[in-house]
mmCIF file of all heavy atoms in Angstrom:
data_model
loop_
_atom_site.group_PDB
_atom_site.id
_atom_site.type_symbol
_atom_site.label_atom_id
_atom_site.label_comp_id
_atom_site.label_asym_id
_atom_site.label_seq_id
_atom_site.Cartn_x
_atom_site.Cartn_y
_atom_site.Cartn_z
ATOM 1 N N SER A 22 16.749 35.367 49.369
ATOM 2 C CA SER A 22 16.611 36.635 50.087
ATOM 3 C C SER A 22 16.467 36.481 51.592
ATOM 4 O O SER A 22 16.844 37.387 52.340
ATOM 5 C CB SER A 22 15.400 37.408 49.540
ATOM 6 O OG SER A 22 15.563 37.711 48.175
ATOM 7 N N VAL A 23 15.911 35.363 52.035
ATOM 8 C CA VAL A 23 15.688 35.179 53.477
ATOM 9 C C VAL A 23 16.765 34.296 54.085
ATOM 10 O O VAL A 23 17.480 34.717 54.999
ATOM 11 C CB VAL A 23 14.291 34.576 53.750
ATOM 12 C CG1 VAL A 23 14.073 34.409 55.253
ATOM 13 C CG2 VAL A 23 13.202 35.471 53.158
ATOM 14 N N ARG A 24 16.905 33.095 53.578
ATOM 15 C CA ARG A 24 17.885 32.184 54.188
ATOM 16 C C ARG A 24 19.318 32.649 53.963
ATOM 17 O O ARG A 24 20.123 32.687 54.890
ATOM 18 C CB ARG A 24 17.695 30.770 53.645
ATOM 19 C CG ARG A 24 18.733 29.819 54.213
ATOM 20 C CD ARG A 24 18.548 28.401 53.759
ATOM 21 N NE ARG A 24 19.704 27.603 54.175
ATOM 22 C CZ ARG A 24 19.803 26.304 54.010
ATOM 23 N NH1 ARG A 24 18.813 25.627 53.459
ATOM 24 N NH2 ARG A 24 20.873 25.665 54.399
ATOM 25 N N ARG A 25 19.649 32.986 52.718
ATOM 26 C CA ARG A 25 21.031 33.382 52.418
ATOM 27 C C ARG A 25 21.283 34.865 52.633
ATOM 28 O O ARG A 25 22.434 35.304 52.586
ATOM 29 C CB ARG A 25 21.372 32.997 50.978
ATOM 30 C CG ARG A 25 21.368 31.495 50.742
ATOM 31 C CD ARG A 25 21.717 31.168 49.317
ATOM 32 N NE ARG A 25 21.743 29.725 49.082
ATOM 33 C CZ ARG A 25 21.884 29.171 47.891
ATOM 34 N NH1 ARG A 25 22.013 29.939 46.817
ATOM 35 N NH2 ARG A 25 21.899 27.861 47.765
ATOM 36 N N ASP A 26 20.223 35.647 52.822
ATOM 37 C CA ASP A 26 20.341 37.085 53.075
ATOM 38 C C ASP A 26 21.246 37.746 52.029
ATOM 39 O O ASP A 26 22.238 38.408 52.352
ATOM 40 C CB ASP A 26 20.892 37.326 54.491
ATOM 41 C CG ASP A 26 20.769 38.778 54.917
ATOM 42 O OD1 ASP A 26 19.953 39.512 54.315
ATOM 43 O OD2 ASP A 26 21.497 39.190 55.844
ATOM 44 N N SER A 27 20.871 37.559 50.758
ATOM 45 C CA SER A 27 21.688 38.070 49.660
ATOM 46 C C SER A 27 21.641 39.586 49.534
ATOM 47 O O SER A 27 22.458 40.175 48.828
ATOM 48 C CB SER A 27 21.221 37.449 48.338
ATOM 49 O OG SER A 27 19.899 37.885 48.027
ATOM 50 N N GLY A 28 20.680 40.211 50.202
ATOM 51 C CA GLY A 28 20.514 41.650 50.073
ATOM 52 C C GLY A 28 19.520 42.041 48.998
ATOM 53 O O GLY A 28 19.105 43.204 48.916
ATOM 54 N N GLU A 29 19.115 41.070 48.169
ATOM 55 C CA GLU A 29 18.113 41.325 47.128
ATOM 56 C C GLU A 29 16.720 41.228 47.744
ATOM 57 O O GLU A 29 16.417 40.244 48.442
ATOM 58 C CB GLU A 29 18.249 40.311 46.003
ATOM 59 C CG GLU A 29 17.277 40.542 44.848
ATOM 60 C CD GLU A 29 17.492 39.554 43.716
ATOM 61 O OE1 GLU A 29 18.320 38.634 43.866
ATOM 62 O OE2 GLU A 29 16.834 39.715 42.678
ATOM 63 N N PRO A 30 15.866 42.222 47.556
ATOM 64 C CA PRO A 30 14.502 42.151 48.113
ATOM 65 C C PRO A 30 13.776 40.906 47.630
ATOM 66 O O PRO A 30 13.967 40.460 46.493
ATOM 67 C CB PRO A 30 13.833 43.425 47.572
ATOM 68 C CG PRO A 30 14.963 44.348 47.288
ATOM 69 C CD PRO A 30 16.104 43.476 46.837
ATOM 70 N N VAL A 31 12.956 40.360 48.499
ATOM 71 C CA VAL A 31 12.302 39.091 48.191
ATOM 72 C C VAL A 31 11.406 39.207 46.965
ATOM 73 O O VAL A 31 11.298 38.265 46.170
ATOM 74 C CB VAL A 31 11.521 38.581 49.421
ATOM 75 C CG1 VAL A 31 10.289 39.439 49.686
ATOM 76 C CG2 VAL A 31 11.127 37.130 49.264
ATOM 77 N N TRP A 32 10.777 40.368 46.768
ATOM 78 C CA TRP A 32 9.887 40.524 45.612
ATOM 79 C C TRP A 32 10.689 40.585 44.304
ATOM 80 O O TRP A 32 10.223 40.115 43.275
ATOM 81 C CB TRP A 32 9.007 41.769 45.763
ATOM 82 C CG TRP A 32 9.731 43.009 46.178
ATOM 83 C CD1 TRP A 32 10.348 43.922 45.386
ATOM 84 C CD2 TRP A 32 9.914 43.449 47.528
ATOM 85 N NE1 TRP A 32 10.903 44.911 46.127
ATOM 86 C CE2 TRP A 32 10.651 44.665 47.448
ATOM 87 C CE3 TRP A 32 9.525 42.972 48.776
ATOM 88 C CZ2 TRP A 32 11.018 45.382 48.591
ATOM 89 C CZ3 TRP A 32 9.885 43.679 49.908
ATOM 90 C CH2 TRP A 32 10.616 44.859 49.810
ATOM 91 N N THR A 33 11.893 41.136 44.354
ATOM 92 C CA THR A 33 12.738 41.167 43.164
ATOM 93 C C THR A 33 13.153 39.755 42.762
ATOM 94 O O THR A 33 13.082 39.377 41.585
ATOM 95 C CB THR A 33 13.992 42.018 43.412
ATOM 96 O OG1 THR A 33 13.607 43.341 43.794
ATOM 97 C CG2 THR A 33 14.850 42.095 42.149
ATOM 98 N N ALA A 34 13.569 38.961 43.751
ATOM 99 C CA ALA A 34 13.950 37.570 43.482
ATOM 100 C C ALA A 34 12.749 36.762 43.004
ATOM 101 O O ALA A 34 12.873 35.915 42.110
ATOM 102 C CB ALA A 34 14.539 36.950 44.749
ATOM 103 N N PHE A 35 11.589 37.026 43.588
ATOM 104 C CA PHE A 35 10.372 36.303 43.219
ATOM 105 C C PHE A 35 10.035 36.520 41.748
ATOM 106 O O PHE A 35 9.832 35.555 41.000
ATOM 107 C CB PHE A 35 9.217 36.760 44.110
ATOM 108 C CG PHE A 35 7.937 36.008 43.898
ATOM 109 C CD1 PHE A 35 7.647 34.886 44.657
ATOM 110 C CD2 PHE A 35 7.012 36.417 42.948
ATOM 111 C CE1 PHE A 35 6.467 34.179 44.478
ATOM 112 C CE2 PHE A 35 5.830 35.720 42.750
ATOM 113 C CZ PHE A 35 5.555 34.597 43.519
ATOM 114 N N PHE A 36 10.001 37.766 41.319
ATOM 115 C CA PHE A 36 9.607 38.046 39.933
ATOM 116 C C PHE A 36 10.718 37.683 38.945
ATOM 117 O O PHE A 36 10.430 37.386 37.775
ATOM 118 C CB PHE A 36 9.200 39.502 39.782
ATOM 119 C CG PHE A 36 7.844 39.791 40.374
ATOM 120 C CD1 PHE A 36 7.715 40.610 41.488
ATOM 121 C CD2 PHE A 36 6.701 39.224 39.842
ATOM 122 C CE1 PHE A 36 6.466 40.859 42.045
ATOM 123 C CE2 PHE A 36 5.448 39.460 40.393
ATOM 124 C CZ PHE A 36 5.335 40.285 41.507
ATOM 125 N N HIS A 37 11.962 37.680 39.400
ATOM 126 C CA HIS A 37 13.042 37.186 38.541
ATOM 127 C C HIS A 37 12.818 35.712 38.211
ATOM 128 O O HIS A 37 12.948 35.296 37.050
ATOM 129 C CB HIS A 37 14.390 37.364 39.246
ATOM 130 C CG HIS A 37 15.517 36.652 38.551
ATOM 131 N ND1 HIS A 37 16.150 37.159 37.434
ATOM 132 C CD2 HIS A 37 16.115 35.454 38.811
ATOM 133 C CE1 HIS A 37 17.081 36.306 37.032
ATOM 134 N NE2 HIS A 37 17.082 35.268 37.850
ATOM 135 N N SER A 38 12.474 34.926 39.229
ATOM 136 C CA SER A 38 12.222 33.499 39.004
ATOM 137 C C SER A 38 10.949 33.273 38.194
ATOM 138 O O SER A 38 10.915 32.378 37.343
ATOM 139 C CB SER A 38 12.112 32.773 40.354
ATOM 140 O OG SER A 38 11.875 31.398 40.167
ATOM 141 N N ILE A 39 9.921 34.062 38.461
ATOM 142 C CA ILE A 39 8.678 33.954 37.674
ATOM 143 C C ILE A 39 8.986 34.136 36.186
ATOM 144 O O ILE A 39 8.533 33.358 35.327
ATOM 145 C CB ILE A 39 7.651 35.008 38.131
ATOM 146 C CG1 ILE A 39 6.961 34.575 39.426
ATOM 147 C CG2 ILE A 39 6.614 35.257 37.042
ATOM 148 C CD1 ILE A 39 5.821 33.608 39.253
ATOM 149 N N LYS A 40 9.758 35.172 35.877
ATOM 150 C CA LYS A 40 10.100 35.465 34.487
ATOM 151 C C LYS A 40 10.927 34.344 33.871
ATOM 152 O O LYS A 40 10.708 33.958 32.707
ATOM 153 C CB LYS A 40 10.870 36.790 34.419
ATOM 154 C CG LYS A 40 11.246 37.218 33.009
ATOM 155 C CD LYS A 40 11.995 38.545 33.022
ATOM 156 C CE LYS A 40 12.401 38.964 31.616
ATOM 157 N NZ LYS A 40 13.148 40.261 31.632
ATOM 158 N N GLU A 41 11.856 33.796 34.627
ATOM 159 C CA GLU A 41 12.767 32.790 34.106
ATOM 160 C C GLU A 41 12.106 31.421 33.948
ATOM 161 O O GLU A 41 12.443 30.665 33.030
ATOM 162 C CB GLU A 41 13.980 32.666 35.032
ATOM 163 C CG GLU A 41 15.065 31.752 34.508
ATOM 164 C CD GLU A 41 16.289 31.757 35.394
ATOM 165 O OE1 GLU A 41 16.112 31.636 36.620
ATOM 166 O OE2 GLU A 41 17.414 31.894 34.866
ATOM 167 N N ASN A 42 11.176 31.090 34.844
ATOM 168 C CA ASN A 42 10.620 29.730 34.879
ATOM 169 C C ASN A 42 9.118 29.653 34.595
ATOM 170 O O ASN A 42 8.509 28.620 34.860
ATOM 171 C CB ASN A 42 10.882 29.107 36.268
ATOM 172 C CG ASN A 42 12.352 29.015 36.594
ATOM 173 O OD1 ASN A 42 13.106 28.339 35.915
ATOM 174 N ND2 ASN A 42 12.766 29.712 37.648
ATOM 175 N N PHE A 43 8.544 30.716 34.060
ATOM 176 C CA PHE A 43 7.092 30.767 33.943
ATOM 177 C C PHE A 43 6.537 29.612 33.120
ATOM 178 O O PHE A 43 5.671 28.857 33.583
ATOM 179 C CB PHE A 43 6.640 32.099 33.339
ATOM 180 C CG PHE A 43 5.144 32.213 33.236
ATOM 181 C CD1 PHE A 43 4.393 32.578 34.332
ATOM 182 C CD2 PHE A 43 4.486 31.940 32.042
ATOM 183 C CE1 PHE A 43 3.010 32.671 34.258
ATOM 184 C CE2 PHE A 43 3.103 32.024 31.950
ATOM 185 C CZ PHE A 43 2.368 32.400 33.059
ATOM 186 N N TRP A 44 7.007 29.465 31.888
ATOM 187 C CA TRP A 44 6.402 28.466 31.000
ATOM 188 C C TRP A 44 6.721 27.050 31.451
ATOM 189 O O TRP A 44 5.834 26.187 31.467
ATOM 190 C CB TRP A 44 6.861 28.690 29.565
ATOM 191 C CG TRP A 44 6.294 29.930 28.968
ATOM 192 C CD1 TRP A 44 6.959 31.087 28.684
ATOM 193 C CD2 TRP A 44 4.925 30.163 28.633
ATOM 194 N NE1 TRP A 44 6.097 32.029 28.191
ATOM 195 C CE2 TRP A 44 4.841 31.483 28.138
ATOM 196 C CE3 TRP A 44 3.765 29.395 28.692
ATOM 197 C CZ2 TRP A 44 3.642 32.050 27.712
ATOM 198 C CZ3 TRP A 44 2.566 29.954 28.260
ATOM 199 C CH2 TRP A 44 2.522 31.258 27.780
ATOM 200 N N GLN A 45 7.954 26.803 31.831
ATOM 201 C CA GLN A 45 8.302 25.457 32.281
ATOM 202 C C GLN A 45 7.567 25.104 33.571
ATOM 203 O O GLN A 45 7.088 23.987 33.735
ATOM 204 C CB GLN A 45 9.812 25.341 32.498
ATOM 205 C CG GLN A 45 10.243 23.900 32.786
ATOM 206 C CD GLN A 45 11.739 23.751 32.921
ATOM 207 O OE1 GLN A 45 12.499 24.707 32.756
ATOM 208 N NE2 GLN A 45 12.195 22.537 33.233
ATOM 209 N N GLY A 46 7.459 26.084 34.476
ATOM 210 C CA GLY A 46 6.728 25.846 35.720
ATOM 211 C C GLY A 46 5.256 25.590 35.468
ATOM 212 O O GLY A 46 4.632 24.765 36.151
ATOM 213 N N MET A 47 4.678 26.286 34.495
ATOM 214 C CA MET A 47 3.272 26.077 34.187
ATOM 215 C C MET A 47 3.039 24.694 33.580
ATOM 216 O O MET A 47 2.063 24.006 33.922
ATOM 217 C CB MET A 47 2.759 27.164 33.235
ATOM 218 C CG MET A 47 1.245 27.139 33.049
ATOM 219 S SD MET A 47 0.616 28.593 32.172
ATOM 220 C CE MET A 47 1.315 28.313 30.546
ATOM 221 N N TYR A 48 3.931 24.272 32.678
ATOM 222 C CA TYR A 48 3.788 22.934 32.092
ATOM 223 C C TYR A 48 3.945 21.855 33.154
ATOM 224 O O TYR A 48 3.207 20.861 33.161
ATOM 225 C CB TYR A 48 4.833 22.727 30.991
ATOM 226 C CG TYR A 48 4.636 23.609 29.785
ATOM 227 C CD1 TYR A 48 5.722 24.100 29.054
ATOM 228 C CD2 TYR A 48 3.351 23.971 29.370
ATOM 229 C CE1 TYR A 48 5.541 24.917 27.953
ATOM 230 C CE2 TYR A 48 3.161 24.784 28.267
ATOM 231 C CZ TYR A 48 4.255 25.263 27.564
ATOM 232 O OH TYR A 48 4.066 26.078 26.479
ATOM 233 N N LEU A 49 4.890 22.049 34.081
ATOM 234 C CA LEU A 49 5.078 21.085 35.165
ATOM 235 C C LEU A 49 3.842 21.033 36.052
ATOM 236 O O LEU A 49 3.403 19.959 36.480
ATOM 237 C CB LEU A 49 6.309 21.462 35.992
ATOM 238 C CG LEU A 49 6.726 20.485 37.102
ATOM 239 C CD1 LEU A 49 7.065 19.119 36.511
ATOM 240 C CD2 LEU A 49 7.914 21.054 37.876
ATOM 241 N N ASN A 50 3.255 22.189 36.270
ATOM 242 C CA ASN A 50 2.026 22.254 37.075
ATOM 243 C C ASN A 50 0.882 21.522 36.381
ATOM 244 O O ASN A 50 0.096 20.807 37.027
ATOM 245 C CB ASN A 50 1.651 23.708 37.322
ATOM 246 C CG ASN A 50 0.429 23.850 38.203
ATOM 247 O OD1 ASN A 50 0.396 23.349 39.324
ATOM 248 N ND2 ASN A 50 -0.599 24.531 37.708
ATOM 249 N N LEU A 51 0.773 21.681 35.066
ATOM 250 C CA LEU A 51 -0.280 20.991 34.316
ATOM 251 C C LEU A 51 -0.100 19.473 34.377
ATOM 252 O O LEU A 51 -1.084 18.728 34.426
ATOM 253 C CB LEU A 51 -0.280 21.468 32.857
ATOM 254 C CG LEU A 51 -0.766 22.902 32.627
ATOM 255 C CD1 LEU A 51 -0.577 23.305 31.169
ATOM 256 C CD2 LEU A 51 -2.222 23.068 33.039
ATOM 257 N N ILE A 52 1.153 19.024 34.391
ATOM 258 C CA ILE A 52 1.414 17.583 34.532
ATOM 259 C C ILE A 52 0.880 17.087 35.870
ATOM 260 O O ILE A 52 0.189 16.059 35.943
ATOM 261 C CB ILE A 52 2.926 17.295 34.407
ATOM 262 C CG1 ILE A 52 3.404 17.552 32.987
ATOM 263 C CG2 ILE A 52 3.227 15.847 34.822
ATOM 264 C CD1 ILE A 52 4.916 17.473 32.815
ATOM 265 N N PHE A 53 1.183 17.817 36.947
ATOM 266 C CA PHE A 53 0.712 17.404 38.269
ATOM 267 C C PHE A 53 -0.801 17.525 38.400
ATOM 268 O O PHE A 53 -1.445 16.683 39.033
ATOM 269 C CB PHE A 53 1.407 18.228 39.361
ATOM 270 C CG PHE A 53 2.765 17.726 39.723
ATOM 271 C CD1 PHE A 53 3.895 18.495 39.483
ATOM 272 C CD2 PHE A 53 2.931 16.470 40.293
ATOM 273 C CE1 PHE A 53 5.157 18.023 39.809
ATOM 274 C CE2 PHE A 53 4.185 15.990 40.627
ATOM 275 C CZ PHE A 53 5.307 16.770 40.383
ATOM 276 N N LEU A 54 -1.397 18.576 37.800
ATOM 277 C CA LEU A 54 -2.851 18.727 37.844
ATOM 278 C C LEU A 54 -3.532 17.571 37.115
ATOM 279 O O LEU A 54 -4.533 17.015 37.596
ATOM 280 C CB LEU A 54 -3.262 20.066 37.229
ATOM 281 C CG LEU A 54 -2.992 21.327 38.062
ATOM 282 C CD1 LEU A 54 -3.382 22.573 37.264
ATOM 283 C CD2 LEU A 54 -3.756 21.292 39.381
ATOM 284 N N GLY A 55 -2.994 17.214 35.936
ATOM 285 C CA GLY A 55 -3.558 16.093 35.201
ATOM 286 C C GLY A 55 -3.405 14.785 35.950
ATOM 287 O O GLY A 55 -4.336 13.972 36.001
ATOM 288 N N TYR A 56 -2.264 14.598 36.547
ATOM 289 C CA TYR A 56 -2.007 13.381 37.318
ATOM 290 C C TYR A 56 -2.949 13.285 38.520
ATOM 291 O O TYR A 56 -3.549 12.232 38.770
ATOM 292 C CB TYR A 56 -0.556 13.367 37.779
ATOM 293 C CG TYR A 56 -0.188 12.173 38.630
ATOM 294 C CD1 TYR A 56 0.223 10.981 38.050
ATOM 295 C CD2 TYR A 56 -0.261 12.241 40.022
ATOM 296 C CE1 TYR A 56 0.552 9.884 38.833
ATOM 297 C CE2 TYR A 56 0.065 11.143 40.802
ATOM 298 C CZ TYR A 56 0.469 9.979 40.206
ATOM 299 O OH TYR A 56 0.779 8.894 40.976
ATOM 300 N N CYS A 57 -3.073 14.399 39.261
ATOM 301 C CA CYS A 57 -3.965 14.406 40.432
ATOM 302 C C CYS A 57 -5.422 14.246 40.012
ATOM 303 O O CYS A 57 -6.218 13.628 40.726
ATOM 304 C CB CYS A 57 -3.777 15.689 41.235
ATOM 305 S SG CYS A 57 -2.194 15.784 42.099
ATOM 306 N N GLY A 58 -5.787 14.805 38.840
ATOM 307 C CA GLY A 58 -7.143 14.618 38.333
ATOM 308 C C GLY A 58 -7.423 13.165 38.022
ATOM 309 O O GLY A 58 -8.514 12.656 38.323
ATOM 310 N N MET A 59 -6.448 12.488 37.443
ATOM 311 C CA MET A 59 -6.603 11.068 37.162
ATOM 312 C C MET A 59 -6.728 10.271 38.460
ATOM 313 O O MET A 59 -7.589 9.389 38.585
ATOM 314 C CB MET A 59 -5.394 10.560 36.370
ATOM 315 C CG MET A 59 -5.428 9.066 36.082
ATOM 316 S SD MET A 59 -3.873 8.461 35.364
ATOM 317 C CE MET A 59 -2.745 8.686 36.753
ATOM 318 N N ALA A 60 -5.886 10.583 39.452
ATOM 319 C CA ALA A 60 -5.948 9.895 40.741
ATOM 320 C C ALA A 60 -7.289 10.120 41.424
ATOM 321 O O ALA A 60 -7.874 9.194 42.006
ATOM 322 C CB ALA A 60 -4.809 10.376 41.637
ATOM 323 N N CYS A 61 -7.795 11.360 41.332
ATOM 324 C CA CYS A 61 -9.090 11.684 41.934
ATOM 325 C C CYS A 61 -10.211 10.904 41.265
ATOM 326 O O CYS A 61 -11.122 10.397 41.938
ATOM 327 C CB CYS A 61 -9.334 13.185 41.827
ATOM 328 S SG CYS A 61 -10.849 13.742 42.635
ATOM 329 N N THR A 62 -10.156 10.791 39.947
ATOM 330 C CA THR A 62 -11.173 10.043 39.212
ATOM 331 C C THR A 62 -11.172 8.576 39.615
ATOM 332 O O THR A 62 -12.230 7.982 39.870
ATOM 333 C CB THR A 62 -10.939 10.177 37.699
ATOM 334 O OG1 THR A 62 -10.991 11.556 37.323
ATOM 335 C CG2 THR A 62 -11.999 9.404 36.924
ATOM 336 N N VAL A 63 -9.970 7.996 39.679
ATOM 337 C CA VAL A 63 -9.851 6.587 40.082
ATOM 338 C C VAL A 63 -10.399 6.386 41.485
ATOM 339 O O VAL A 63 -11.133 5.422 41.759
ATOM 340 C CB VAL A 63 -8.381 6.126 40.005
ATOM 341 C CG1 VAL A 63 -8.221 4.731 40.616
ATOM 342 C CG2 VAL A 63 -7.896 6.136 38.565
#
């Protein structure tokens, strides 16, 4: 919406991606949180 100026409002594009990638993005986030937690513990 900003760089390519597609004409689609930024909030529409944002929630489209949230809907499409919610579960996979959350699992990826949990991987990084677990990894960073392990690094912090060490």
Side-chain angles (χ1 to χ4, degrees):
S22 299
V23 181
R24 178 177 171 175
R25 295 180 179 173
D26 192 20
S27 66
E29 182 177 5
V31 71
W32 47 87
T33 302
F35 185 92
F36 285 113
H37 169 80
S38 180
I39 282 278
K40 182 179 179 181
E41 186 175 47
N42 300 298
F43 182 81
W44 290 109
Q45 188 177 357
M47 189 170 68
Y48 293 146
L49 185 61
N50 183 57
L51 290 174
I52 292 172
F53 278 115
L54 286 176
Y56 178 87
C57 290
M59 177 189 67
C61 184
T62 301
V63 172

